[in-house]
Amino acid sequence: MIEINYYLLVSAVLFSIGVIGVLVRRNAIIIFMCIELMLNSINLTLVAFSSFLGNINGQIFVFIVMTVAAAEAAIGLAIIISMFRNKESLNIDEINILKW
Amino acid sequence: MKFDLETVLFISLSVLSVVSAIYMITRKNPINSALFLILNFFTVSGLYLLLKAQFIAIIQVLVYMGAIMVLFIFVIMLLNLQFQKKKLESYSYKSLTSILLAIMLFGILGYTVYFGFEGKFKGMSDKALEIGTAEKLGAELFTNYSFPFELASFLLLAAIVGAIVLAKKKFE
């Protein structure tokens, strides 16, 4: 029988790796994939609590998070495509016209 | 801790998921990153099965690995990034600071999560097996959670319209 804190520890490790990826990498697509990794680790936490507490609400929430992730992927990749069309680059250090 | 099948599966799946996540953020080529992310999603889906959430595990394979990652790989291949390979990544003192900050974040998260819930639960709930089925989840989605369900469908509609408008050639 595996305790809940091991599942939560795996989820925390995955979340931190996602944070490192978002902060260190400069490629917009890889940053986007790291955000998906973080969402996925949170889903793991929700499912773990859902089955250890015997409560279905956590899995419903995972369902909604997956919908949001799919919508976010579609919109974000469309933004990346139009960004690439205008700047010919995916480096987020060069996309800085809103920053001063 | 005795080494039954569940423990062996848990240890191998979690080690594989962490290793594939580390490989994902360190690869130079985005295609390799995407493939390691697919491996990571697969192992997390195995962890869902260990938690007796069958329906969520299948949905993870279908939606994340099937739909979202295909979209990612499609966009990576569409953009053809070969010619700007060398100037894309530059590491500096900023990345060292951010790695340090992320490790501190992991310290806080890991400490809270590991010691805060040690021995709080006497094993998995008895209802865990029946909760994870499609029947139970569907019944709950269409009765108590029908409003969030409709909101999610509206969100998807907005995402379809937004993606078409954003990726159009002429932006008027």
Side-chain angles (χ1 to χ4, degrees):
Chain A
M1 192 64 226
I2 291 153
E3 294 281 323
I4 190 171
N5 43 8
Y6 296 105
Y7 285 106
L8 298 181
L9 199 64
V10 172
S11 161
V13 171
L14 289 180
F15 190 85
S16 308
I17 292 173
V19 170
I20 291 179
V22 167
L23 291 178
V24 171
R25 297 304 300 261
R26 300 263 72 88
N27 186 334
I29 289 183
I30 292 183
I31 288 176
F32 216 62
M33 287 198 277
C34 290
I35 293 173
E36 298 288 333
L37 181 69
M38 286 155 76
L39 282 171
N40 207 45
S41 76
I42 296 305
N43 281 352
L44 182 59
T45 306
L46 287 169
V47 171
F49 273 114
S50 165
S51 24
F52 274 84
L53 289 168
N55 190 337
I56 203 167
N57 294 355
Q59 298 193 15
I60 302 283
F61 207 84
V62 169
F63 210 76
I64 306 292
V65 169
M66 278 183 182
T67 316
V68 172
E72 175 227 329
I75 294 289
L77 288 171
I79 290 175
I80 285 176
I81 287 178
S82 62
M83 193 168 96
F84 186 77
R85 200 177 279 147
N86 287 324
K87 286 263 188 177
E88 290 290 314
S89 163
L90 283 184
N91 192 339
I92 52 161
D93 285 338
E94 293 171 19
I95 319 288
N96 53 4
I97 53 171
L98 279 181
K99 190 168 120 187
W100 54 282
Chain B
M1 185 189 283
K2 65 176 196 298
F3 279 88
D4 49 356
L5 183 63
E6 191 187 2
T7 315
V8 173
L9 271 178
F10 175 76
I11 290 174
S12 47
L13 280 176
S14 46
V15 167
L16 194 59
S17 75
V18 170
V19 168
S20 62
I22 290 173
Y23 265 77
M24 182 207 119
I25 65 165
T26 50
R27 292 305 96 182
K28 276 231 159 27
N29 192 341
I31 284 282
N32 290 349
S33 294
L35 292 178
F36 276 112
L37 187 57
I38 290 176
L39 179 62
N40 183 58
F41 284 161
F42 188 73
T43 54
V44 172
S45 135
L47 288 177
Y48 290 161
L49 279 183
L50 278 184
L51 284 166
K52 298 177 182 165
Q54 314 99 319
F55 186 62
I56 295 291
I58 296 298
I59 287 294
Q60 165 99 355
V61 173
L62 280 179
V63 173
Y64 265 110
M65 288 160 64
I68 296 182
M69 291 318 292
V70 165
L71 203 61
F72 268 97
I73 290 177
F74 183 75
V75 168
I76 292 169
M77 297 206 169
L78 187 74
L79 294 186
N80 188 21
L81 299 166
Q82 291 308 110
F83 64 92
Q84 54 165 12
K85 214 178 219 171
K86 53 185 182 298
K87 63 172 182 179
L88 202 53
E89 299 294 336
S90 60
Y91 300 101
S92 59
Y93 69 95
K94 268 192 209 160
S95 39
L96 201 68
T97 320
S98 29
I99 289 175
L100 218 64
L101 283 173
I103 289 174
M104 281 161 71
L105 172 73
F106 170 68
I108 296 169
L109 275 181
Y111 181 83
T112 318
V113 139
Y114 189 81
F115 294 105
F117 291 99
E118 204 172 20
K120 280 275 168 65
F121 296 98
K122 298 266 173 293
M124 216 174 284
S125 165
D126 300 331
K127 289 189 290 178
L129 194 57
E130 60 166 322
I131 276 178
T133 57
E135 186 190 356
K136 258 289 172 97
L137 265 172
E140 194 78 4
L141 263 181
F142 284 108
T143 53
N144 290 337
Y145 288 90
S146 53
F147 185 60
F149 186 74
E150 294 300 327
L151 272 186
S153 68
F154 195 73
L155 178 73
L156 284 177
L157 176 69
I160 294 169
V161 175
I164 291 173
V165 168
L166 277 173
K168 232 172 26 174
K169 249 236 150 81
K170 275 246 174 67
F171 214 157
E172 62 261 271

